[in-house]
Amino acid sequence: IEGCTASGAPALLAFLASTFEITASRFHDCHTPRSSVIYVGPQSVLMVANSSIGHCSTGDDPIFIAGICNLTDSQISDITAAGNTGALRLTGPSSTLEMRRSSILRCVAQDGAAGLQISGGRAALYGITVEGCSVNSGGGGITVNSEGFVLISSDGEIR
């Protein structure tokens, strides 16, 4: 998917109460001025492998996870967000994120976290890299607040 624009909620790609698998795909140059690029709703499962998401701009959280999301061998890069999160936002008590051998690079947000913001739910991060992310106010790499839980393995990097 390349060069797409979405103007309405919830997102350019919305996964609602279903299970989806995306493999060896590219999501680039997408623009969503009033919504997310990817929305994983409650009771949804999204599995992404060997894919890249990059060079996108959004007025909201670029990847909003309220369900379950697994990212393996994937890259999220060069995303600019006018909202609280530059790359991924995990929210809600039953939301889950698992990342393996993946990276979040050069993402920018206005507030909150430029890389990964965890506002409730559980995140397990194995061998990830968060690098070059920035925010006007808040945390540049990973921010955990309001009952979030994070496990980071020893082979990941935050620069």
Side-chain angles (χ1 to χ4, degrees):
I1 296 175
E2 196 162 332
C4 294
T5 301
S7 60
L12 180 67
L13 296 172
F15 302 100
L16 307 171
S18 298
T19 300
F20 297 89
E21 185 172 335
I22 298 171
T23 304
S25 297
R26 245 176 79 100
F27 301 90
H28 280 248
D29 299 313
C30 297
H31 307 284
T32 58
R34 292 187 297 277
S35 63
S36 298
V37 175
I38 297 174
Y39 174 84
V40 181
Q43 303 173 335
S44 292
V45 177
L46 174 62
M47 296 171 285
V48 178
N50 302 309
S51 296
S52 68
I53 301 165
H55 301 281
C56 297
S57 63
T58 177
D60 206 344
D61 303 309
I63 302 170
F64 186 91
I65 304 164
I68 297 170
C69 184
N70 296 322
L71 291 166
T72 304
D73 299 317
S74 294
Q75 180 176 316
I76 300 165
S77 64
D78 302 297
I79 295 179
T80 302
N84 292 329
T85 308
L88 287 154
R89 182 174 184 191
L90 180 69
T91 187
S94 61
S95 59
T96 303
L97 170 65
E98 182 176 295
M99 290 181 72
R100 291 186 180 276
R101 299 175 308 278
S102 295
S103 57
I104 299 172
L105 307 172
R106 300 174 305 277
C107 294
V108 178
Q110 291 299 313
D111 303 303
L116 174 60
Q117 181 171 358
I118 300 162
S119 303
R122 301 177 62 83
L125 312 173
Y126 303 101
I128 72 157
T129 299
V130 178
E131 185 175 331
C133 296
S134 62
V135 65
N136 289 335
S137 65
I142 298 172
T143 300
V144 182
N145 52 22
S146 61
E147 302 179 20
F149 173 82
V150 180
L151 166 69
I152 301 175
S153 73
S154 61
D155 56 351
E157 292 182 293
I158 299 175
R159 293 191 224 180

